[in-house]
């Protein structure tokens, strides 16, 4: 029995060491997510490669030409309803760890910067499945929200709100003007929440 225990400890130690080395290599090459993203005026292609130009509205939400959710802010500052919904949902579920307005905190990154660098599908994966980053200096753990309807039914709304914040298209705080809630948005919301 002692040999099996020693063998199990050896395998566990090797696994943890290789995981730590891989995470150290990844974190050395990765750009810090809290670092401010420098955008040129009127820049529409984000460091993630996504163009944030709104192309069409479907189910009450704006999408770019690739079908990735995006936001729309009118010249008078009126935000589309999904962006406003994202503000509400972010502050109901995410701000406790990630700080108000996507600004970050002492123990969680500034999501308004992260979404500009992160692929949309990677964002969805992290929200649905959670994330754990362990290093010598930090132990960051984000729980999975894929089964939380108050997050998952609005995951795209939170995403577009954070995009709008990250690009400084909307100021901190509650958006002062919002578009009316489209009937299609209500139908999609009711469908998701009733599942």
């Amino acid at each position: 029995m002692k040999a099996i225990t020693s063998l199990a400890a050896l395998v566990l130690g090797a696994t943890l060491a290789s995981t730590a080395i891989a995470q150290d290599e990844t974190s050395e090459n990765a750009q810090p997510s809290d670092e401010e993203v420098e955008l040129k005026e009127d820049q529409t292609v984000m460091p993630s490669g996504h163009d944030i130009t709104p192309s069409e509205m479907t189910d009450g939400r704006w999408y770019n030409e690739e079908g990735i959710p995006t936001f729309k802010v009118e010249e008078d500052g009126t935000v589309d309803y999904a962006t406003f919904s994202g503000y509400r949902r972010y502050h109901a579920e995410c701000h406790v760890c990630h700080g108000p307005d996507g600004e970050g905190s002492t123990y969680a990154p500034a999501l308004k910067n992260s979404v500009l660098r992160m692929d949309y599908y990677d964002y969805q994966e992290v929200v649905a499945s959670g994330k754990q980053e362990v290093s010598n200096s930090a132990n960051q753990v984000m729980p999975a929200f894929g089964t939380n309807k108050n997050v998952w039914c609005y995951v795209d709304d939170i995403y577009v709100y954070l995009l709008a914040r990250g690009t400084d298209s909307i100021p901190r705080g509650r958006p002062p003007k919002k578009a009316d809630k489209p009937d299609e948005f209500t139908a999609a919301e009711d469908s998701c929440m009733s599942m």
Side-chain angles (χ1 to χ4, degrees):
M1 188 63 139
K2 192 173 191 177
I4 294 173
T5 305
S6 297
L7 179 60
L10 180 63
V11 169
L12 178 62
T15 303
L16 291 174
S18 64
T19 302
I21 289 169
Q23 286 177 346
D24 283 346
E25 289 172 0
T26 301
S27 63
E28 286 174 11
N29 297 331
Q31 191 175 8
S33 61
D34 270 346
E35 196 171 294
E36 195 77 25
V37 176
E38 294 292 325
L39 299 174
K40 295 177 181 142
E41 191 172 328
D42 298 326
Q43 180 177 343
T44 62
V45 177
M46 298 299 97
S48 65
H50 291 134
D51 189 335
I52 59 170
T53 305
S55 175
E56 76 172 300
M57 183 185 266
T58 305
D59 292 333
R61 291 177 170 88
W62 283 98
Y63 295 89
N64 69 10
E65 289 195 8
E66 299 172 322
I68 306 291
T70 192
F71 61 91
K72 186 170 185 180
V73 180
E74 301 295 339
E75 290 199 21
D76 70 352
T78 301
V79 299
D80 63 284
Y81 190 82
T83 301
F84 177 75
S85 171
Y87 162 81
R88 291 178 55 225
R89 296 302 169 163
Y90 175 88
H91 286 87
E93 299 287 340
C94 312
H95 88 280
V96 174
C97 295
H98 292 282
D101 305 312
E103 294 287 333
S105 70
T106 57
Y107 56 90
L111 295 182
K112 73 176 194 133
N113 297 327
S114 299
V115 297
L116 300 180
R117 290 186 190 88
M118 181 181 264
D119 179 78
Y120 166 70
Y121 300 103
D122 291 340
Y123 159 83
Q124 282 198 318
E125 181 180 347
V126 169
V127 174
S129 303
K131 184 175 182 177
Q132 182 171 0
E133 288 187 17
V134 179
S135 68
N136 293 336
S137 61
N139 183 13
Q140 295 182 334
V141 178
M142 179 175 153
F145 287 98
T147 58
N148 181 337
K149 289 182 183 182
N150 289 317
V151 173
W152 196 249
C153 290
Y154 304 95
V155 68
D156 290 346
D157 301 353
I158 295 168
Y159 178 77
V160 299
Y161 164 70
L162 290 168
L163 277 179
R165 283 287 305 122
T167 59
D168 290 328
S169 298
I170 60 173
R172 291 188 72 169
R174 182 183 179 101
K177 297 179 183 178
K178 65 176 171 51
D180 292 335
K181 186 175 185 178
D183 292 338
E184 301 88 355
F185 186 99
T186 302
E189 179 179 45
D190 291 347
S191 175
C192 184
M193 292 300 277
S194 66
M195 294 176 81

